[in-house]
Amino acid sequence: MKDKDNETESNHDYLWDGRGEPDEIIASLERRLAPLRYRSRRSVLRGIFGVRAAAVAAAAILMMIPFFLFNTPDAPATAYEVTLLAGIGRVQPPGGREPVLLTPENIYQFPVGAKLACDAGARARVRMIRSNSNMELGEASLDGPCDVDLVQSSPTLEKLYLHRGSLSARVSANAKPRLFQVGTPSGTAVDLGCIYTVRVRDDGAAELHVSIGRVAFEIHKNNLVIWSGASCVADTAGNITTPVDDDAPAGFREALARHDARKDGNALEDLLNTATVRQSASLWHLLQSAGDAERGSIYDKLAALAPPPAGVTRERALALDRDALEAWRLDIMHW
Amino acid sequence: MQLPAPLQPQIDAAADGGIPAVDDAERRAIERARAGDRRAFGELHSRYVRMVHAIVMAHASPGDADDLTQEVFTRALVNIQNLQRADSAGPWFAGIARNVATDSVRRRKPSVELTDIAAARPARGRVDDARDVLESIQTIPVTYRETLMMRLVEGMTGPEIALRTGMTPGSVRVHLHRGMKQLTEILARRGLLQ
């Protein structure tokens, strides 16, 4: 390599391992490309690399697209744009005005207080864009039949309320954790940086499935953290199933379902017998929802599968010490 | 660049021209991850995330790179049983990264106008410049492009690239050198050489 293509020794060293005298061009490129470097998900500004040509085209398209503007007293912090992808959908503007029937070729603004309804078979997309910076916060895909309201839009909280139907959210790294939330009759899904789906059944029960990242599911005083590849169900009475991996062994899932239903005294023993290290996160949640008499055996199993970090003692865990449990959770689900 | 201590001996070996080997800690992490240990998977994430990010960005839109990187690791987690050999972890993660990035590019095409409407942003000098350079990198052959992304964007050294990708140090050297030569010529033609 050293003699190839007439490169100098210092160039080789610097390109190879950063040693030696910095090559001017390479060092310059490193500086110029630094904004693209991987950082932890939340520190990255993304969505700012629209192709220049696309920006021009987008501007032209925007001029051509008729915007149906609903007058609102204050401009929202975030612009919500609705696009109908298939089927029949309508937006009910705030203030009791006539609903607007959506047509696929248009983009509609969706202000706070408005309601979006999609009929069976319809699909719509709601995009969230920060007004003052044009920064994308994410998007929600809706599958009808569904009814969703925009209940709040502020710099600290963006909240949709899903009455029924299915909503899949993709929240951008631009959005701070907890900024984007989806209320349901059974609880609130709070984004912690992820892609997830909430489906509200006709009886109001909400199913939450996380595809990537993590979501907090807040139900009354409970706050569950659901992780990639896991799901749980909450009903309107405040009952919630223990979050579990979609690919958990059938025996474990079945025993967990029996345990959650509180209909089988042997369920706990069965699920502990079938749990592997992969079910540690489920056991972590179970530790908190279990009764005093059950907690010891859950702790022992969890500690055997995923030993607690320093400082998290059996006593603290059984006393449901908040700091201790959080430290253990981060150890189990840290990535 | 500061590297984790356990990496250094292997990297020195790679710098000497030998084939870089997966260390015992990584071997153990892979075994534990295959058994379903999420913390062990987290260790693999830490080791491979920059390589994955570079590969994703070599193929797909940089605006999607974060989400795609996370998707790579989600797919890897689901399919961790397919990782049979510890010394093939790098190529295995790289393969998933290429598939995810390619799928993303394919999916993105039909809705390009709509997605780019929201992606269109006011000009930002530093970011625009990075984008211009990235666009130039994306025009060079993929063989060199990924290696160059790891070196110039992620700050990985040649030995580290060899260790992570499973390529021989000699191949990495050639890719870096030829890729850099092509990139310099493209930047010069485009008037982007500073």
Side-chain angles (χ1 to χ4, degrees):
Chain A
M1 169 71 189
K2 288 181 180 179
D3 297 328
K4 283 179 185 170
D5 299 315
N6 302 319
E7 289 292 312
T8 66
E9 182 71 27
S10 63
N11 284 347
H12 287 307
D13 284 347
Y14 191 74
L15 182 60
W16 178 239
D17 59 10
R19 285 187 298 186
E21 187 183 336
D23 179 283
E24 213 171 281
I25 293 175
I26 298 170
S28 164
L29 288 172
E30 287 176 316
R31 280 194 304 274
R32 294 164 73 185
L33 289 165
L36 303 179
R37 186 169 291 183
Y38 177 80
R39 276 160 273 174
S40 64
R41 180 172 158 78
R42 285 301 172 188
S43 65
V44 177
L45 281 175
R46 64 170 294 278
I48 52 179
F49 295 98
V51 179
R52 185 175 292 158
V56 176
I61 291 165
L62 282 171
M63 288 167 66
M64 293 162 63
I65 294 172
F67 257 66
F68 293 78
L69 302 175
F70 304 121
N71 293 325
T72 49
D74 298 304
T78 301
Y80 282 70
E81 297 178 352
V82 177
T83 306
L84 184 70
L85 303 175
I88 297 171
R90 62 195 68 78
V91 169
Q92 168 75 61
R97 279 176 286 168
E98 283 295 307
V100 175
L101 194 63
L102 307 179
T103 51
E105 66 270 26
N106 293 321
I107 299 173
Y108 300 81
Q109 286 196 351
F110 189 51
V112 173
K115 299 171 185 297
L116 170 63
C118 292
D119 291 354
R123 287 185 300 115
R125 180 172 56 209
V126 180
R127 310 194 69 167
M128 295 156 279
I129 300 163
R130 199 53 108 191
S131 299
N132 57 2
S133 61
N134 272 348
M135 196 164 64
E136 184 189 13
L137 294 181
E139 68 177 35
S141 299
L142 296 150
D143 287 306
C146 70
D147 294 296
V148 63
D149 302 349
L150 176 56
V151 296
Q152 187 170 343
S153 175
S154 72
T156 54
L157 178 62
E158 304 288 347
K159 188 167 184 179
L160 296 167
Y161 190 92
L162 182 66
H163 295 274
R164 63 166 185 152
S166 175
L167 181 155
S168 294
R170 177 183 62 77
V171 184
S172 154
N174 295 322
K176 290 179 181 171
R178 303 192 62 82
L179 175 73
F180 182 68
Q181 304 187 7
V182 179
T184 75
S186 305
T188 300
V190 180
D191 164 65
L192 301 176
C194 53
I195 298 174
Y196 63 94
T197 300
V198 187
R199 188 169 80 88
V200 177
R201 302 173 183 167
D202 291 341
D203 63 0
E207 300 173 4
L208 175 67
H209 176 262
V210 179
S211 303
I212 295 177
R214 286 190 288 267
V215 177
F217 205 7
E218 298 180 351
I219 299 132
H220 301 302
K221 290 181 181 176
N222 297 314
N223 185 357
L224 289 86
V225 177
I226 323 297
W227 60 96
S228 294
S231 55
C232 69
V233 181
D235 67 22
T236 52
N239 302 309
I240 185 161
T241 63
T242 305
V244 61
D245 279 299
D246 297 338
D247 61 355
F252 180 83
R253 293 179 66 89
E254 184 268 332
L256 189 60
R258 281 190 282 125
H259 177 76
D260 285 342
R262 304 282 176 195
K263 288 179 181 170
D264 184 346
N266 297 323
L268 180 63
E269 189 180 343
D270 292 345
L271 76 87
L272 292 180
N273 285 337
T274 51
T276 68
V277 64
R278 200 168 167 80
Q279 281 72 57
S280 301
S282 290
L283 294 182
W284 180 87
H285 280 91
L286 207 55
L287 188 64
Q288 296 163 88
S289 60
D292 292 345
E294 300 171 322
R295 204 168 292 144
S297 57
I298 297 170
Y299 172 88
D300 292 339
K301 182 70 179 185
L302 179 56
L305 295 173
V312 179
T313 62
R314 191 173 201 277
E315 290 67 32
R316 289 182 72 192
L318 294 185
L320 301 184
D321 180 298
R322 196 180 178 86
D323 293 338
L325 290 177
E326 182 62 7
W328 204 354
R329 183 187 75 76
L330 289 172
D331 209 40
I332 292 169
M333 300 187 236
H334 80 278
W335 73 278
Chain B
M1 187 176 62
Q2 193 65 40
L3 294 172
L7 279 180
Q8 202 56 56
Q10 308 156 66
I11 288 176
D12 289 344
D16 291 342
I19 302 287
V22 173
D23 63 339
D24 286 344
E26 180 163 333
R27 209 178 298 277
R28 282 196 300 273
I30 291 169
E31 284 169 9
R32 281 171 25 233
R34 291 187 74 235
D37 186 336
R38 286 181 185 280
R39 287 176 296 181
F41 191 82
E43 288 175 32
L44 296 179
H45 177 270
S46 301
R47 287 170 182 252
Y48 286 100
V49 68
R50 287 188 300 151
M51 178 196 78
V52 165
H53 192 255
I55 292 173
V56 162
M57 216 182 311
H59 296 270
S61 160
D64 295 333
D66 268 10
D67 288 341
L68 294 177
T69 298
Q70 204 160 354
E71 190 176 336
V72 170
F73 284 98
T74 302
R75 282 198 198 178
L77 179 64
V78 170
N79 296 297
I80 190 74
Q81 291 304 326
N82 296 341
L83 177 53
Q84 300 288 343
R85 291 173 45 200
D87 57 1
S88 64
W92 186 70
F93 277 112
I96 298 173
R98 288 184 196 109
N99 287 339
V100 166
T102 308
D103 288 350
S104 148
V105 171
R106 205 176 291 135
R107 280 199 310 267
R108 195 178 166 85
K109 278 179 181 167
S111 58
V112 65
E113 299 91 345
L114 289 174
T115 43
D116 283 345
I117 285 170
R121 308 287 175 240
R124 296 170 186 226
R126 193 158 172 255
V127 166
D128 274 351
D129 186 46
R131 184 201 60 204
D132 289 340
V133 177
L134 179 67
E135 283 175 8
S136 298
I137 294 177
Q138 286 180 330
T139 64
I140 67 177
V142 68
T143 321
Y144 308 144
R145 192 194 308 166
E146 291 180 358
T147 314
L148 214 52
M149 292 291 288
M150 290 178 212
R151 174 65 186 88
L152 295 178
V153 177
E154 303 300 338
M156 296 167 70
T157 63
E160 197 182 357
I161 294 168
L163 179 67
R164 289 283 160 256
T165 60
M167 282 191 285
T168 64
S171 293
V172 175
R173 275 186 186 274
V174 170
H175 289 185
L176 284 176
H177 180 61
R178 293 185 180 166
M180 193 60 213
K181 191 172 181 222
Q182 291 194 17
L183 177 62
T184 308
E185 288 167 2
I186 292 165
L187 291 172
R189 268 203 311 273
R190 295 182 171 187
L192 293 171
L193 212 50
Q194 293 180 1

